[in-house]
Amino acid sequence: MDQPRAPHIGRLIREGGRSFSFEFFPPKDEAGEAQLWQAIRDLEPYRPTFVSVTYGAGGSTRDTTVDIIGRIARETSMVPMGHLTCVGHTREELQLILDSFAGAGVSNVLALRGDPKEGPRAEWTPTEGGLTYASELVELAAGRFSVGVAAHPGGHPASDSLDLDVEVLRRKQAAGAEFAITDMVFRVSDYVGLVERAAEVGVTIPILPGIMPILNLGQVTRMGELSGHPVPDEVVERVKVHEGDPAAVRAEGITMAAELCEALLAAGAPGLHFYTLNRSKATREIFAALRITA
Ligand code: FAD
C-alpha cells in the first residue's frame, strides 16, 4: 500500500514564494551514507522547499535512490523528490520504479533521459522496449506525481541548437512537467538567456537555476564534464588568481556563488537549487552570505 503522500513541488513553487532546494546523490559505502545523513540533518533547519536524490548511471542506484527518498519522507520534515532516468529500463520497469516511489510516500519525480555510459555527447540508443526522450517519462509519471525536468542553459551537449533545446523544454511542459531545474549555472546571462528563449516558445513553468560553488581548482574540469560545457574563463580566472592557496580559492568560490545567487534572484529566478555533493558546509556558507538563517 502507498505511504501517505508528500506535498507536490509544482504547487509549492507556484504558491510558496522563492524555492530553495538541495540535491544529494546515493552514497557508495557506509562512510558516504553517514556523510549524506549528516548533510541532510545539517540542512533540514533551513526548511528547503524540497530535496532531491539523483539516479545513478544505468540504473545502478535504483534501490538506494528509493531507500533514501523513502527515508527522507518518513524521518524528516522535508519534501523529497526522486530523480529517474530512462537508461537501461523498459517502460514496464520504469512504471514499477514509479510504483516504488509512490509506495515510499514520494509524490515528486525529476524525469530525465539520462546519458549513455560514454557521456552526454555520445550517441543515445534507447533500451529495447524503453523510452527515447525524457518527455515520454514525463507522460508516464504526470498526473500521479508532480514532475520536474532538466533544462540546459548552455544547450544540451548533443543538441544542434539552443532553439531545439527550448522546444524540447516546451514539449516536456506539454507532456505534464510542472517545473524545470537547470544544469550548473555560472553566469546570470546564461540563465536569463534560457528563460527568455523558453518564454518565446511558450514555456511558462518555473525554471530553477542549479548552483554549484567552485571549492577547488581541480573540480573545475569535472564540472565542465558534468554539464557538458567548460566553466566560463572569466569565472575560472577569478579563482585561479588564488592558485596555491586552497583556503583563498574556496573563499573566492563561495563569494562568487553567493553573488551569483543574489543576481539570479534579482533577475527573477523563482528559487535556487543547490548541488550539495552530500556536504552541507558550502551551502551553509552561501546561505550565511545571503543572510538566510536556519
Ligand atoms: P531530453 O530532454 O530527453 O533531451 C536529451 C536530448 O534529446 C537533447 O539533445 C534534446 O535536444 C534531444 N531531444 C529531446 N526530445 C527530442 C525530440 N522530441 N526530438 C528531437 N530531439 C529531442 N542524469 C542521471 O543519470 N541521473 C540523475 O539523477 C540526473 N539528474 C540531473 C538533474 C538535473 C537538474 C539536470 C539538469 C541533469 C541531470 N542528469 C542526471 C543529467 C541528464 O540525464 C542529462 O543531461 C541528459 O543528457 C539529458 O537529459 P534530459 O532529461 O534533458 O533529456
Side-chain angles (χ1 to χ4, degrees), residues 54-55 83 112-115 133-134 152 156 171-172 183 275:
T54 63
Y55 197 76
H83 297 204
L112 303 146
R113 187 200 68 177
D115 287 318
Y133 296 121
H152 308 278
H156 182 267
R171 286 183 201 180
K172 293 194 271 197
D183 274 326
Y275 295 107

Side-chain angles (χ1 to χ4, degrees), residues 2 7 40-41 46 54 57 59 78 81 87 128 148 154 176 197 254 293:
D2 287 4
I40 289 176
R41 293 295 179 199
Y46 290 89
T54 63
M78 298 184 289
M81 171 169 75
V87 180
E128 212 183 317
R197 286 191 304 281
I254 296 289
T293 49

Side-chain angles (χ1 to χ4, degrees), residues 28-158:
K28 289 196 170 55
D29 53 30
E30 267 182 38
E33 192 168 338
Q35 182 183 307
L36 165 70
W37 283 97
Q38 186 62 52
I40 289 176
R41 293 295 179 199
D42 288 347
L43 291 172
E44 186 175 11
Y46 290 89
R47 298 187 300 281
T49 311
F50 66 95
V51 294
S52 79
V53 178
T54 63
Y55 197 76
S60 54
T61 63
R62 172 181 176 154
D63 294 336
T64 28
T65 300
V66 177
D67 285 350
I68 297 165
I69 51 177
R71 197 173 152 195
I72 291 172
R74 284 191 312 277
E75 297 181 17
T76 79
S77 59
M78 298 184 289
V79 175
M81 171 169 75
H83 297 204
L84 182 57
T85 76
C86 308
V87 180
H89 292 310
T90 61
R91 175 183 283 270
E92 284 69 32
E93 284 168 351
L94 290 165
Q95 192 65 65
L96 288 173
I97 299 166
L98 288 171
D99 289 348
S100 61
F101 279 20
V106 173
S107 313
N108 304 285
V109 178
L110 194 70
L112 303 146
R113 187 200 68 177
D115 287 318
K117 62 177 182 312
E118 298 80 17
R121 286 179 198 282
E123 194 179 339
W124 163 255
T125 314
T127 300
E128 212 183 317
L131 308 180
T132 307
Y133 296 121
S135 54
E136 297 165 65
L137 185 54
V138 175
E139 264 171 37
L140 203 63
R144 194 172 176 204
F145 295 88
S146 179
V147 183
V149 291
H152 308 278
H156 182 267

Side-chain angles (χ1 to χ4, degrees), residues 188-206:
V188 181
S189 57
D190 294 337
Y191 171 76
V192 170
L194 166 71
V195 171
E196 286 176 355
R197 286 191 304 281
E200 274 168 25
V201 298
V203 173
T204 54
I205 55 174

